[in-house]
Amino acid sequence: MTAATNTQEELESVKAIYLAAEDLKIAGSILYQAYHDDPLFVDIFQAEKEGYESRLRSAIREELNAFWLARQPMIGLFEGERLLAVACLISPNAAFGNGRFWHWRLKMLLTAGLFGTRQMLDKEQKVRESMPADNFHMLSFIGVHPDHQHHGLGHILMSAVDSVVLEDSQSEGVGVFVTLPKCLSFFEDGDYQHIKDLQVGHITGQIMFKNRPEQNSTQNST
């Protein structure tokens, strides 16, 4: 059996399912590995200082808990009971950003520190203000387990994200802030358009946005 056959069989057995509470720990581990070297998180949580890994793990854990409590869409790709990839979205008009819950702020202050907490909130506000829409989903986290990368799981995950957007008739599309250059082509392949460069802290990234499919079709026909 060839490697290509193995990969195809793996993809056919994968299902996109909303995460349950018991999945959050594994999801946090996948996202920690995905964002450990992301320039934005390296800057926000001060990788040059002792305890970076602990601050990053804690921040991701508190983010996932906040997503869960606010019932925000968290999608997992599962092969049987194994979680292979994760995407976390913020819905239009969700009470996130500067309106985050007081207990989230308190826990973030205790685990990630004052600087990291302020930077996270500042980042999200700047990203939101840069989006070319009023009502939209925002892709906050996306990651594939290191052992299952380059097999096409990312594209399946993106299709699941599109489905979430389509389920919300108020959503004009989905936006993302990309800070890893190697990820730009991935989002471009998924029909995300570059909107502008944005500096957050010491890091410059790209605001990218994908209109919901109906809008794409309308634009293409005019």
Side-chain angles (χ1 to χ4, degrees):
M1 183 178 294
T2 66
T5 302
N6 285 330
T7 299
Q8 185 61 34
E9 289 183 352
E10 178 185 42
L11 293 179
E12 290 176 354
S13 64
V14 166
K15 293 183 178 180
I17 305 171
Y18 285 114
L19 297 185
E22 58 267 24
D23 301 319
L24 298 187
K25 184 175 181 179
I26 301 300
S29 178
I30 291 174
L31 293 176
Y32 169 80
Q33 294 176 82
Y35 287 92
H36 182 275
D37 299 320
D38 187 296
L40 181 65
F41 288 88
V42 165
D43 185 51
I44 286 178
F45 298 111
Q46 301 173 294
E48 74 280 3
K49 295 184 178 181
E50 184 178 354
Y52 166 68
E53 285 81 7
S54 177
R55 289 191 294 275
L56 180 60
R57 284 187 187 278
S58 297
I60 290 175
R61 181 182 67 244
E62 296 309 327
E63 282 284 272
L64 291 178
N65 287 336
F67 271 72
W68 176 257
L69 290 172
R71 298 182 179 180
Q72 297 303 291
M74 293 188 288
I75 309 164
L77 294 187
F78 289 83
E79 184 181 42
E81 296 184 355
R82 280 197 307 163
L83 179 59
L84 307 180
V86 180
C88 300
L89 292 143
I90 298 177
S91 300
N93 303 317
F96 269 47
N98 288 332
R100 279 216 208 277
F101 328 107
W102 67 267
H103 57 267
W104 176 90
R105 290 189 179 188
L106 177 59
K107 287 184 178 180
M108 282 288 286
L109 285 169
L110 293 173
T111 57
L114 177 61
F115 180 79
T117 302
R118 282 180 172 173
Q119 289 285 85
M120 286 285 284
L121 293 172
D122 182 56
K123 181 267 293 188
E124 192 160 285
Q125 182 176 354
K126 286 183 176 179
V127 170
R128 278 187 170 278
E129 291 173 350
S130 299
M131 292 295 171
D134 294 321
N135 296 304
F136 58 91
H137 284 80
M138 190 156 71
L139 183 58
S140 290
F141 293 110
I142 183 168
V144 177
H145 191 286
D147 293 343
H148 300 277
Q149 293 178 359
H150 311 298
H151 294 167
L153 293 177
H155 295 289
I156 296 177
L157 198 53
M158 294 301 285
S159 294
V161 168
D162 290 344
S163 296
V164 171
V165 174
L166 283 172
E167 288 173 1
D168 188 336
S169 60
Q170 301 302 311
S171 182
E172 299 171 56
V174 55
V176 64
F177 182 48
V178 182
T179 51
L180 275 174
K182 67 179 183 180
C183 294
L184 284 175
S185 60
F186 170 71
F187 285 105
E188 287 170 352
D189 289 345
D191 293 328
Y192 283 71
Q193 304 297 315
H194 177 266
I195 303 301
K196 62 181 288 188
D197 292 348
L198 176 69
Q199 182 169 344
V200 176
H202 302 100
I203 304 302
T204 299
Q206 287 73 43
I207 295 289
M208 303 188 76
F209 192 84
K210 180 179 183 178
N211 289 320
R212 61 186 296 133
E214 295 94 334
Q215 293 178 348
N216 283 334
S217 298
T218 300
Q219 292 172 357
N220 291 336
S221 62
T222 57

Short mmCIF file of all heavy atoms in Angstrom, two decimals, residues 4 27-28 41 53 55 64 66 73-74 86 93 129 132 135 140 158-159 169 172 181 190 194 200 202 219:
data_model
loop_
_atom_site.label_atom_id
_atom_site.label_comp_id
_atom_site.label_asym_id
_atom_site.label_seq_id
_atom_site.Cartn_x
_atom_site.Cartn_y
_atom_site.Cartn_z
N ALA A 4 0.35 7.47 -0.61
CA ALA A 4 -0.79 8.22 -1.12
C ALA A 4 -2.10 7.53 -0.77
O ALA A 4 -3.10 8.18 -0.42
CB ALA A 4 -0.67 8.39 -2.62
N ALA A 27 -7.24 19.74 22.33
CA ALA A 27 -7.26 20.89 21.41
C ALA A 27 -6.22 21.91 21.83
O ALA A 27 -5.50 22.47 20.98
CB ALA A 27 -8.65 21.52 21.40
N GLY A 28 -6.10 22.15 23.14
CA GLY A 28 -5.11 23.10 23.63
C GLY A 28 -3.70 22.66 23.30
O GLY A 28 -2.85 23.49 22.94
N PHE A 41 2.67 35.56 19.01
CA PHE A 41 2.61 35.02 20.36
C PHE A 41 3.97 35.06 21.04
O PHE A 41 4.07 35.26 22.25
CB PHE A 41 2.04 33.60 20.33
CG PHE A 41 0.57 33.57 20.03
CD1 PHE A 41 0.11 33.52 18.73
CD2 PHE A 41 -0.36 33.63 21.05
CE1 PHE A 41 -1.24 33.53 18.44
CE2 PHE A 41 -1.71 33.63 20.79
CZ PHE A 41 -2.17 33.58 19.48
N GLU A 53 6.69 29.23 27.74
CA GLU A 53 5.84 28.07 27.42
C GLU A 53 4.64 27.98 28.35
O GLU A 53 3.53 27.69 27.93
CB GLU A 53 6.66 26.77 27.49
CG GLU A 53 7.60 26.56 26.32
CD GLU A 53 8.90 27.34 26.45
OE1 GLU A 53 9.12 27.95 27.53
OE2 GLU A 53 9.69 27.34 25.48
N ARG A 55 3.23 30.49 30.01
CA ARG A 55 2.29 31.58 29.72
C ARG A 55 1.47 31.28 28.48
O ARG A 55 0.26 31.54 28.44
CB ARG A 55 3.06 32.90 29.56
CG ARG A 55 3.64 33.45 30.86
CD ARG A 55 4.16 34.87 30.68
NE ARG A 55 5.30 34.94 29.78
CZ ARG A 55 6.57 34.74 30.14
NH1 ARG A 55 6.85 34.42 31.38
NH2 ARG A 55 7.55 34.86 29.28
N LEU A 64 -9.66 28.88 25.15
CA LEU A 64 -10.58 27.79 24.82
C LEU A 64 -11.73 27.72 25.83
O LEU A 64 -12.88 27.47 25.45
CB LEU A 64 -9.82 26.46 24.78
CG LEU A 64 -8.84 26.29 23.61
CD1 LEU A 64 -8.12 24.95 23.72
CD2 LEU A 64 -9.54 26.40 22.27
N ALA A 66 -12.95 30.23 27.45
CA ALA A 66 -13.82 31.36 27.16
C ALA A 66 -14.70 31.07 25.94
O ALA A 66 -15.89 31.39 25.91
CB ALA A 66 -13.00 32.63 26.93
N PRO A 73 -18.09 28.78 18.02
CA PRO A 73 -17.84 27.57 17.22
C PRO A 73 -16.39 27.09 17.35
O PRO A 73 -15.45 27.82 17.02
CB PRO A 73 -18.14 28.02 15.78
CG PRO A 73 -18.90 29.29 15.91
CD PRO A 73 -18.43 29.94 17.17
N MET A 74 -16.21 25.87 17.81
CA MET A 74 -14.91 25.22 17.86
C MET A 74 -15.04 23.89 17.13
O MET A 74 -15.77 23.01 17.57
CB MET A 74 -14.44 25.00 19.30
CG MET A 74 -14.14 26.29 20.05
SD MET A 74 -13.36 26.01 21.67
CE MET A 74 -14.77 25.34 22.59
N VAL A 86 -7.88 21.45 14.73
CA VAL A 86 -8.82 22.31 15.45
C VAL A 86 -8.91 23.68 14.76
O VAL A 86 -7.91 24.21 14.27
CB VAL A 86 -8.35 22.54 16.91
CG1 VAL A 86 -9.35 23.44 17.65
CG2 VAL A 86 -8.17 21.23 17.64
N ASN A 93 -20.86 39.66 16.34
CA ASN A 93 -21.48 40.29 17.52
C ASN A 93 -21.25 39.52 18.81
O ASN A 93 -21.98 39.72 19.79
CB ASN A 93 -22.99 40.48 17.30
CG ASN A 93 -23.30 41.31 16.08
OD1 ASN A 93 -22.64 42.31 15.83
ND2 ASN A 93 -24.28 40.87 15.30
N GLU A 129 -11.18 45.93 13.84
CA GLU A 129 -11.37 47.24 13.20
C GLU A 129 -10.84 47.26 11.78
O GLU A 129 -11.22 48.13 10.99
CB GLU A 129 -10.69 48.32 14.04
CG GLU A 129 -11.37 48.57 15.38
CD GLU A 129 -10.59 49.53 16.26
OE1 GLU A 129 -9.43 49.85 15.91
OE2 GLU A 129 -11.13 49.95 17.31
N PRO A 132 -13.05 44.25 6.52
CA PRO A 132 -13.88 45.00 5.56
C PRO A 132 -15.36 44.63 5.64
O PRO A 132 -16.04 44.53 4.61
CB PRO A 132 -13.28 44.56 4.21
CG PRO A 132 -12.88 43.15 4.45
CD PRO A 132 -12.38 43.10 5.87
N ASN A 135 -20.49 42.56 10.06
CA ASN A 135 -20.88 41.30 10.69
C ASN A 135 -20.10 40.17 10.05
O ASN A 135 -20.32 39.86 8.88
CB ASN A 135 -22.38 41.07 10.55
CG ASN A 135 -23.19 42.13 11.26
OD1 ASN A 135 -23.03 42.35 12.45
ND2 ASN A 135 -24.05 42.82 10.52
N SER A 140 -9.86 32.66 14.96
CA SER A 140 -8.87 33.01 15.98
C SER A 140 -7.73 32.00 16.08
O SER A 140 -6.58 32.38 16.30
CB SER A 140 -9.55 33.13 17.35
OG SER A 140 -10.38 34.27 17.40
N MET A 158 -10.87 24.00 6.61
CA MET A 158 -11.34 25.25 6.04
C MET A 158 -12.74 25.10 5.43
O MET A 158 -13.55 26.03 5.48
CB MET A 158 -10.36 25.74 4.99
CG MET A 158 -9.01 26.14 5.56
SD MET A 158 -9.13 27.45 6.79
CE MET A 158 -9.43 28.84 5.72
N SER A 159 -13.02 23.94 4.87
CA SER A 159 -14.37 23.70 4.34
C SER A 159 -15.39 23.69 5.48
O SER A 159 -16.52 24.18 5.32
CB SER A 159 -14.40 22.36 3.59
OG SER A 159 -13.60 22.40 2.43
N SER A 169 -26.84 33.42 8.64
CA SER A 169 -27.27 34.28 7.54
C SER A 169 -26.81 35.72 7.72
O SER A 169 -26.80 36.50 6.75
CB SER A 169 -28.80 34.25 7.41
OG SER A 169 -29.41 34.72 8.60
N GLU A 172 -21.13 38.06 6.94
CA GLU A 172 -20.69 38.47 5.61
C GLU A 172 -19.46 37.70 5.14
O GLU A 172 -19.05 37.82 3.98
CB GLU A 172 -20.37 39.97 5.62
CG GLU A 172 -21.56 40.84 5.97
CD GLU A 172 -21.17 42.28 6.18
OE1 GLU A 172 -20.56 42.89 5.26
OE2 GLU A 172 -21.45 42.83 7.27
N PRO A 181 4.44 33.74 7.62
CA PRO A 181 4.50 33.82 6.15
C PRO A 181 4.13 32.52 5.45
O PRO A 181 3.49 32.54 4.39
CB PRO A 181 5.96 34.21 5.89
CG PRO A 181 6.38 34.95 7.12
CD PRO A 181 5.68 34.26 8.26
N GLY A 190 -7.39 29.08 -0.18
CA GLY A 190 -8.77 28.97 0.29
C GLY A 190 -9.62 30.17 -0.06
O GLY A 190 -10.70 30.36 0.50
N HIS A 194 -6.14 39.31 0.53
CA HIS A 194 -5.34 40.21 1.37
C HIS A 194 -6.01 41.57 1.43
O HIS A 194 -6.33 42.17 0.40
CB HIS A 194 -3.93 40.33 0.80
CG HIS A 194 -3.06 41.28 1.57
ND1 HIS A 194 -2.91 42.61 1.21
CD2 HIS A 194 -2.31 41.11 2.69
CE1 HIS A 194 -2.10 43.21 2.07
NE2 HIS A 194 -1.72 42.33 2.98
N VAL A 200 0.93 44.85 15.05
CA VAL A 200 0.47 44.65 16.43
C VAL A 200 1.71 44.44 17.28
O VAL A 200 2.45 43.48 17.08
CB VAL A 200 -0.47 43.44 16.56
CG1 VAL A 200 -0.85 43.22 18.01
CG2 VAL A 200 -1.72 43.64 15.71
N HIS A 202 5.29 44.52 18.05
CA HIS A 202 6.46 44.62 17.19
C HIS A 202 6.31 43.79 15.91
O HIS A 202 7.25 43.68 15.13
CB HIS A 202 7.71 44.14 17.94
CG HIS A 202 7.98 44.91 19.19
ND1 HIS A 202 7.64 44.45 20.44
CD2 HIS A 202 8.56 46.12 19.38
CE1 HIS A 202 7.99 45.33 21.35
NE2 HIS A 202 8.55 46.37 20.74
N GLN A 219 -20.18 38.60 -7.11
CA GLN A 219 -19.11 39.44 -7.62
C GLN A 219 -18.56 38.92 -8.92
O GLN A 219 -18.25 39.66 -9.85
CB GLN A 219 -18.00 39.56 -6.57
CG GLN A 219 -18.43 40.34 -5.34
CD GLN A 219 -17.39 40.28 -4.23
OE1 GLN A 219 -16.37 39.59 -4.37
NE2 GLN A 219 -17.63 41.00 -3.15
#
